[in-house]
Amino acid sequence: MKKNQRSYFILSLITLALIITSCLPGGGNYSPIEPAGFFSGIWHGWIAPFSLILGLFNKDITIYESFNTGWWYDFGFYMSVIAGFGSLRLLRKKSD
């Protein structure tokens, strides 16, 4: 296995482990008494694509937590979505 392939494989395993063990939005981890905050918004924004795919198979999983703190959760969520999808551009090779 080449070094580049090994790096992608390890990164994939780490990502999969984080997704499996993480707090997905809509999974019942939050309530009106204990809503999701800013850092939860960052995490939920970062894993939004995975939440979307998993939500197709489990109706309890959503990409956005409805029990949240409001503006701060939204700020973290959108900041993470924009930064996360923008950083994917850095992984592409430039064609010269």
Side-chain angles (χ1 to χ4, degrees), residues 16 63 69 89 96:
L16 182 63
I63 62 168
T69 56
R89 182 176 174 263
D96 293 325

Side-chain angles (χ1 to χ4, degrees), residues 40-51:
S40 295
I42 289 175
W43 179 249
H44 293 162
W46 184 252
I47 63 169
F50 303 108
S51 299

Side-chain angles (χ1 to χ4, degrees), residues 4 8 88-96:
N4 195 18
Y8 284 127
L88 292 177
R89 182 176 174 263
L90 298 174
L91 296 175
R92 290 188 275 160
K93 291 183 179 180
K94 293 182 181 180
S95 58
D96 293 325

Side-chain angles (χ1 to χ4, degrees), residues 32-79:
I33 297 169
E34 294 183 25
F38 174 73
F39 293 109
S40 295
I42 289 175
W43 179 249
H44 293 162
W46 184 252
I47 63 169
F50 303 108
S51 299
L52 178 65
I53 293 168
L54 292 173
L56 295 173
F57 303 103
N58 184 347
K59 65 180 176 98
D60 294 330
I61 297 174
T62 61
I63 62 168
Y64 186 83
E65 179 61 53
S66 57
F67 298 119
N68 62 60
T69 56
W71 192 90
W72 281 110
Y73 177 84
D74 292 342
F75 179 66
F77 183 83
Y78 292 119
M79 182 178 68

